[in-house]
Amino acid sequence: MKEIITLQFGESANYVGTHYWNMQQQQFAEESSGDSNTHLAMDVFYSEDDQGVGKRGKRYTPRVLVFDKVGNFGSLGQSRHAQTEDDSKDIESEIEAAQWDGATEVHRQIPYASGAVLGTGAINELSESQVRYWSDFNEVEFNTVQSLSSVSGVEFGNSLGEMNTFQEGGEVFNGENGRDEILEGKFRVLAEACDQMQGFQVLADAHGGFAGFGAGFVEKVREEYPKSSILLYNVASGRVGDMGGAQTIDAAIGLATNLENVSAAVNMYVPSALKRLYPGVQIEESSRYQTSAFMATNVSQWSQCILAGRRSLDEMISQVTQQQYFKVAESLLSPGLQISDSKYDFGSAAGLLEQRFVASSGAVVSDLSSLAGQLVVDRGTEFSRLVRERYAATAYADLGQAVALPRSFPRRIFQGARDSVGVAGMLCTTAGTTAYVQRLHESVQVERSRHVKDYEREWIREVRGVLDSVIDRYATIS
């Protein structure tokens, strides 16, 4: 068994992560019921939980660490590791045995249920007004003691308690007590429980405090596990073009930091935002609940390839990045793609990519021969039939089964989708990514930026130098 640990940093990342884990759970439910013809290696992303054997039987919980501000966890339900009725009785017994002759009282917090606003039934979509926190649509039972961590600037070393920028988040992580407590606590327990870990899947906010906090964490992970692969999904809250000045600067610093400034900590970096939509994808871009559902479909597309045993994390990264020479990858996704019989030829594939695929950073792919590296994953569409005549078998994976949608998923974002939807995807490195990096580069022109303090200007110049090298490298892709 080769395990993957998932790390999630920040509110936007956790919205995506919640949809993602809901989708994973639905896929496993389909397999368990016999409705799926694909065998999934659940142990890759989940930990087997032996506690309660004989009472409730074995359970699997996501092998994940979730970091967010305490106020963003909302009504996330307690897992079975949390306090139970029997635990409460034990506490009462301990109180009675204590050396205290006075009266005692036990006060218990009423536990909230996971997915507090989800009802029962086959399909019960949420209205936007019901979703206040990512936990409101959570359907998964986390090990809350082991997996969930609230982060406070005050608690972890920032006297003002602020985590509004990349730099502030980095300072919080590097606080005197916070870093050691996190790395030697929950992370160490999770990592040492792995028999043969293959790497890390990271979902991190693209800007704000948790972008810096996550970058600091990933740097330390790289020091601890220098040979393990790290795949980072950089999650923006909406369109790349809609980010404000300070947010774009944060995203630029984050990209440069993760790729170069921390000894090349990340093996592959995938921007996860919305740029181009086509008629089959209908998203209210002001709704984080909807945008994060699409981004989670993106993450699920590539992890499903690993779960189905078609690629390891190392193999996928090496194939797409060309042995990590091009580390910024573009994810193109087309939910509900339908292809007429007349278009079953390789020449039509590029046209479909340009017209019917949503690009995570806005890259336009109009010529398949200009890609540096690529992996096509087909889940229930016919797209793989278009590429197999020219691509070697190692360049694509036809998983057959469509994507099963959990009841919390906003089906209306995919036209005509009900219980499932076919999804075609391509993960690639392309010269088109230069436009995304160029936009970030422009945001950190020291002479024009009013968001940069005087003492940060030299640091910003170093960031620009890193982005310059990325742009130059991608310009070599013909």
Side-chain angles (χ1 to χ4, degrees):
M1 175 174 61
K2 290 189 175 182
E3 302 93 344
I4 294 175
I5 292 176
T6 301
L7 305 171
Q8 298 174 195
F9 301 100
E11 185 176 19
S12 293
N14 288 326
Y15 262 79
V16 174
T18 301
H19 279 300
Y20 167 75
W21 291 114
N22 288 348
M23 295 175 76
Q24 296 300 95
Q25 178 165 286
Q26 187 64 33
Q27 291 292 137
F28 290 130
E30 295 275 326
E31 183 188 18
S32 299
S33 65
D35 294 334
S36 172
N37 54 14
T38 303
H39 174 69
L40 303 176
M42 190 172 189
D43 290 340
V44 173
F45 288 100
Y46 283 72
S47 298
E48 185 176 318
D49 172 8
D50 290 321
Q51 295 198 25
V53 172
K55 292 184 178 180
R56 303 183 181 93
K58 292 184 179 181
R59 291 247 182 155
Y60 286 87
T61 54
R63 187 180 291 106
V64 63
L65 289 180
V66 177
F67 297 91
D68 209 335
K69 294 180 180 179
V70 64
N72 290 340
F73 283 92
S75 57
L76 183 68
Q78 299 174 340
S79 80
R80 50 199 209 80
H81 288 284
Q83 192 181 92
T84 63
E85 184 178 349
D86 291 337
D87 296 329
S88 299
K89 292 180 180 178
D90 291 339
I91 293 173
E92 291 180 18
S93 298
E94 291 176 8
I95 293 174
E96 290 173 359
Q99 295 180 350
W100 171 252
D101 296 329
T104 62
E105 293 182 359
V106 176
H107 297 271
R108 303 185 188 89
Q109 181 178 357
I110 299 174
Y112 291 93
S114 292
V117 298
L118 278 174
T120 59
I123 296 178
N124 182 37
E125 289 193 23
L126 308 179
S127 68
E128 301 303 316
S129 62
Q130 289 177 295
V131 178
R132 297 178 300 159
Y133 312 103
W134 48 265
S135 62
D136 286 341
F137 57 93
N138 172 60
E139 299 185 50
V140 177
E141 186 175 33
F142 290 102
N143 180 333
T144 54
V145 173
Q146 178 59 44
S147 290
L148 308 184
S149 294
S150 60
V151 176
S152 163
V154 172
E155 180 183 357
F156 286 92
N158 186 320
S159 60
L160 298 177
E162 294 181 349
M163 279 186 62
N164 298 321
T165 67
F166 184 97
Q167 186 172 8
E168 288 174 349
E171 290 172 352
V172 168
F173 176 78
N174 289 310
E176 182 177 354
N177 300 319
R179 179 177 59 190
D180 293 339
E181 178 182 332
I182 293 170
L183 291 175
E184 296 304 323
K186 296 178 179 181
F187 174 77
R188 183 73 60 199
V189 171
L190 202 61
E192 292 184 351
C194 297
D195 295 329
Q196 192 178 4
M197 182 170 60
Q198 60 175 304
F200 301 87
Q201 172 180 261
V202 183
L203 283 70
D205 284 3
H207 46 75
F210 278 98
F213 186 92
F217 196 105
V218 168
E219 178 181 2
K220 294 305 176 183
V221 168
R222 172 54 71 215
E223 291 178 3
E224 292 275 342
Y225 298 92
K227 295 183 179 180
S228 296
S229 294
I230 300 177
L231 167 58
L232 171 62
Y233 295 96
N234 193 242
V235 181
S237 57
R239 283 182 181 263
V240 174
D242 291 340
M243 291 191 294
Q247 292 176 336
T248 311
I249 290 175
D250 267 3
I253 295 171
L255 173 61
T257 301
N258 284 300
L259 291 186
E260 301 289 345
N261 292 3
V262 293
S263 302
V266 174
N267 302 97
M268 186 163 71
Y269 179 103
V270 183
S272 296
L274 295 176
K275 184 65 176 177
R276 290 188 298 114
L277 300 180
Y278 66 88
V281 178
Q282 301 172 344
I283 297 176
E284 295 178 20
E285 295 178 41
S286 61
S287 168
R288 183 176 286 176
Y289 171 58
Q290 292 188 23
T291 58
S292 60
F294 180 86
M295 295 177 197
T297 308
N298 178 24
V299 178
S300 175
Q301 188 78 358
W302 315 119
S303 66
Q304 194 74 7
C305 187
I306 298 173
L307 285 167
R310 304 297 291 274
R311 298 290 188 281
S312 68
L313 182 61
D314 289 339
E315 291 168 343
M316 185 170 71
I317 289 175
S318 180
Q319 177 175 333
V320 173
T321 64
Q322 298 294 284
Q323 286 72 49
Q324 300 180 40
Y325 186 74
F326 302 101
K327 291 189 175 182
V328 183
E330 184 71 41
S331 176
L332 301 124
L333 218 63
S334 183
L337 178 66
Q338 295 182 353
I339 304 171
S340 65
D341 292 338
S342 62
K343 291 186 177 181
Y344 278 126
D345 62 87
F346 184 78
S348 64
L352 287 172
L353 284 171
E354 187 174 0
Q355 299 170 16
R356 294 297 307 274
F357 281 67
V358 179
S360 59
S361 74
V364 177
V365 177
S366 56
D367 184 0
L368 292 178
S369 64
S370 67
L371 302 178
Q374 65 277 322
L375 172 64
V376 171
V377 174
D378 191 356
R379 302 174 67 185
T381 78
E382 298 290 336
F383 188 68
S384 58
R385 290 182 57 179
L386 273 64
V387 299
R388 67 179 58 174
E389 67 176 77
R390 300 280 188 90
Y391 282 1
T394 55
Y396 66 89
D398 186 355
L399 303 186
Q401 198 80 14
V403 179
L405 301 177
R407 63 194 181 98
S408 60
F409 195 92
R411 289 162 172 75
R412 57 189 173 276
I413 72 173
F414 299 149
Q415 189 173 10
R418 291 192 59 78
D419 293 336
S420 64
V421 63
V423 179
M426 174 180 280
L427 190 62
C428 61
T429 42
T430 168
T433 302
T434 305
Y436 169 74
V437 181
Q438 185 67 47
R439 171 172 169 74
L440 300 185
H441 183 276
E442 291 172 357
S443 74
V444 287
Q445 293 186 30
V446 177
E447 297 80 6
R448 295 170 52 188
S449 177
R450 295 173 296 175
H451 303 281
V452 180
K453 301 179 178 65
D454 289 340
Y455 65 84
E456 296 176 328
R457 291 182 180 271
E458 184 59 36
W459 179 42
I460 290 297
R461 289 190 179 94
E462 293 177 5
V463 169
R464 288 188 65 188
V466 171
L467 298 180
D468 277 332
S469 67
V470 174
I471 292 170
D472 291 343
R473 181 168 294 186
Y474 275 75
T476 64
I477 304 176
S478 57

